[in-house]
Amino acid sequence: MTSFRTHRLRVHDGSRTPRQRFAALRTCLTEFAPFGFRATYHHLCRSAGIPVEPERDPEALVRAVRELHAARELWLAEYAGWRAGRAAQKAAGVRIPDPPEPPRRLWCPDPEFHPVEPLPAVMPRILRARPGAWARCPVCEADLGTTRYRDGHHVHRLCAGCGVSLGHRAAPGPDPAALAARAERWKLVWQRRG
């Protein structure tokens, strides 16, 4: 399996076709996606302006991977510090990490509703978020109210300002209409037509 770094370099490689470079960007998202794969994909397509046909603007792929890489560098710096502290805790016999590992993402279950700020601006707030129930959204850092999102299996409570999941519960049963609508919307997002 190849790494984020390898695929990031492939996105920058002008000798590859735009389709190959786009595939490399999507692989980067499997390694690091601060809003979850789907929402981060949608965010980068919008923020970098990736067209339906990547051949029309191959530099959009570079803009997208640069934004993703900058956010990942912030996480890696935080993680390196945590890992050094964790090594000392292990040497002292501490079995449960305190603090827990820095989060690399906050989940946005609706791929089209996520923070619109650049990923490097949002990442420090993601890093400050600790597991548990939040009195206010860790990204907006305010109580902007909540909204609901049904994905067909769960009912999610989302921050009304940015779409970050503040919790979810199982739906009474699968909702075929919601599942079909969600699949159709995702198809349009995936093709960058929605």
Side-chain angles (χ1 to χ4, degrees):
M1 182 172 200
T2 54
S3 67
F4 180 95
R5 182 178 182 277
T6 299
H7 286 280
R8 180 178 69 85
L9 293 174
R10 288 177 181 170
V11 174
H12 286 275
D13 184 355
S15 69
R16 295 179 177 272
T17 69
R19 296 277 171 189
Q20 290 172 323
R21 294 166 72 187
F22 189 56
L25 173 63
R26 290 191 309 237
T27 303
C28 287
L29 284 168
T30 65
E31 297 294 318
F32 185 77
F35 307 145
F37 179 86
R38 292 180 176 199
T40 306
Y41 174 84
H42 183 263
H43 171 84
L44 290 174
C45 288
R46 292 293 172 101
S47 70
I50 300 173
V52 172
E53 296 171 8
E55 296 82 6
R56 291 187 179 182
D57 184 9
E59 285 306 304
L61 304 172
V62 174
R63 290 190 299 271
V65 83
R66 281 185 180 148
E67 181 178 346
L68 187 63
H69 174 66
R72 185 172 180 267
E73 287 296 303
L74 293 173
W75 179 79
L76 286 173
E78 184 81 11
Y79 181 73
W82 176 84
R83 203 164 98 192
R86 182 64 189 132
Q89 288 178 354
K90 283 184 177 181
V94 177
R95 296 184 64 146
I96 299 172
D98 183 29
E101 181 178 321
R104 64 169 61 198
R105 76 178 178 117
L106 292 176
W107 191 36
C108 298
D110 180 350
E112 297 176 278
F113 186 29
H114 47 75
V116 295
E117 296 173 89
L119 294 175
V122 176
M123 199 66 213
R125 287 176 261 161
I126 291 174
L127 290 168
R128 286 193 297 267
R130 292 295 177 222
W134 296 308
R136 60 185 185 157
C137 175
V139 172
C140 295
E141 296 182 325
D143 182 6
L144 300 176
T146 61
T147 186
R148 291 180 188 214
Y149 174 72
R150 290 177 170 78
D151 66 8
H153 295 291
H154 297 92
V155 178
H156 300 271
R157 186 173 57 90
L158 307 180
C159 169
C162 68
V164 166
S165 177
L166 302 176
H168 69 277
R169 62 178 168 75
D175 181 348
L179 289 168
R182 180 175 177 238
E184 188 58 34
R185 284 302 311 154
W186 174 241
K187 182 178 174 183
L188 293 171
V189 169
W190 183 249
Q191 297 171 346
R192 294 165 314 285
R193 297 180 190 278

